[in-house]
Amino acid sequence: MRSLFPVTDLTTAATAPAPPTASEPSGPLPGHPGHPGHPGRADREWSFDELAEAYAYPTDLPAEGPGNSWLRANMVSTLDGAAQHDGRSQPISCAADMRIFGTLRALADVVIAGAETVRQEGYRPARAREAFAARRAAAGQGAAPAIAVVSGSLDLDFSLPLFTEPLVPTLVVTAAGAPADRIAAAREAGAEVVIAGDATRVDPARAVRELADRGLRRQLTEGGPRLLGQFVAAGALDELCLTLSPMLTAGDAQRIAGGPGVAVPERFTLASLLEEDGFLFGRYRR
């Protein structure tokens, strides 16, 4: 993996070829940062610590009130805009994408997902990761992030391991008008019910606030597209981590964000860009 942006002197040194010599007419010399055996080679596999530094949450969030949480999304898209293939994101992903996926989860207090995504992707409880244990402890976090499932109807299978075997109790984010028997079933399964809307519609901005009020301030949403579209429309998204997959699928797969459009497009700023094997890993901030 290599960093394309921001560009630093180290980036330039690690990617620039060494001058050719008589004994080695092409390619970097041993000891040069670009040589395959050099520990600083730009396209080596990054450690989890390096990824954690690259994707660290802001440290200057206020303790309470407006702006006391940070919601980032993690999504993958093909070159022609497909967020899925055959209903799942895995076929358009790669090993490096999954390492970043795991890193983003390990940095978060809570992972937010829509009910349809939970069903399609076969969500399981987040697990404790030894590689991130010390970092989470230093940040005052538990062993693993909580999973929060957004569903107005609570049409969920509460016998799944996501609800019966979590290291941290799973939350269900719903609305005040959700069926009373489904709310009772969620609580009976051990889930924490979070009311974040009237009638049967969850208010995405309120969901962010309700989770932050429970101390879950470092937030990560993995979609799906409908939920991400709701966060975008509500102006609640602070950061998008987007993997651009060098694949074409055609077809009519969803984009990374769906639902009604916004009146005026909101511009985000590129914060960083990594590359590995043709996959681009961008971070964009509001």
Side-chain angles (χ1 to χ4, degrees):
M1 180 171 286
R2 59 194 176 118
S3 174
L4 302 181
F5 180 84
V7 177
T8 66
D9 291 341
L10 181 60
T11 302
T12 304
T15 56
T21 67
S23 59
E24 186 172 322
S26 63
L29 294 168
H32 186 275
H35 188 272
H38 194 282
R41 183 173 170 82
D43 60 357
R44 63 184 170 80
E45 182 178 276
W46 285 21
S47 70
F48 282 122
D49 277 340
E50 289 171 306
L51 289 174
E53 289 296 328
Y55 285 92
Y57 277 86
T59 58
D60 57 352
L61 300 177
E64 56 185 30
N68 72 330
S69 62
W70 188 267
L71 175 63
R72 64 167 36 143
N74 181 32
M75 301 293 283
V76 59
S77 171
T78 63
L79 297 176
D80 52 349
Q84 305 165 340
H85 183 66
D86 288 339
R88 300 179 65 241
S89 59
Q90 189 277 333
I92 61 174
S93 181
C94 67
D97 185 42
M98 295 310 298
R99 284 175 64 83
I100 291 174
F101 173 91
T103 299
L104 294 180
R105 278 198 163 199
L107 296 176
D109 295 326
V110 61
V111 178
I112 310 169
E116 186 62 22
T117 294
V118 167
R119 288 188 286 263
Q120 288 185 349
E121 301 281 353
Y123 263 51
R124 297 184 63 84
R127 58 189 178 92
R129 303 281 298 276
E130 181 60 32
F132 298 96
R135 185 179 294 270
R136 288 187 66 86
Q141 296 173 297
I147 303 291
V149 185
V150 179
S151 174
S153 66
L154 292 184
D155 180 16
L156 298 164
D157 183 353
F158 293 116
S159 69
L160 294 176
L162 178 61
F163 301 102
T164 61
E165 302 175 9
L167 190 62
V168 181
T170 295
L171 302 97
V172 290
V173 183
T174 191
D181 62 325
R182 300 306 297 160
I183 291 178
R187 287 176 172 152
E188 185 176 351
E192 179 180 350
V193 177
V194 179
I195 302 299
D198 301 322
T200 59
R201 181 183 178 277
V202 174
D203 179 339
R206 182 174 166 185
V208 168
R209 294 194 302 270
E210 292 286 347
L211 292 171
D213 287 347
R214 288 163 170 77
L216 306 174
R217 302 168 59 209
R218 287 160 285 209
Q219 302 173 359
L220 168 68
T221 180
E222 297 169 351
R226 184 184 307 171
L227 179 62
L228 179 55
Q230 292 172 358
F231 281 129
V232 170
L237 189 69
D238 297 298
E239 178 180 336
L240 173 64
C241 298
L242 177 65
T243 296
L244 183 61
S245 171
M247 301 181 188
L248 294 168
T249 64
D252 56 359
Q254 288 180 295
R255 297 162 47 196
I256 65 167
V262 297
V264 178
E266 183 176 8
R267 179 161 183 166
F268 277 49
T269 300
L270 179 65
S272 67
L273 184 64
L274 308 177
E275 185 273 339
E276 183 169 310
D277 292 334
F279 284 79
L280 295 176
F281 308 96
R283 286 174 58 234
Y284 299 84
R285 291 187 169 191
R286 194 212 306 262

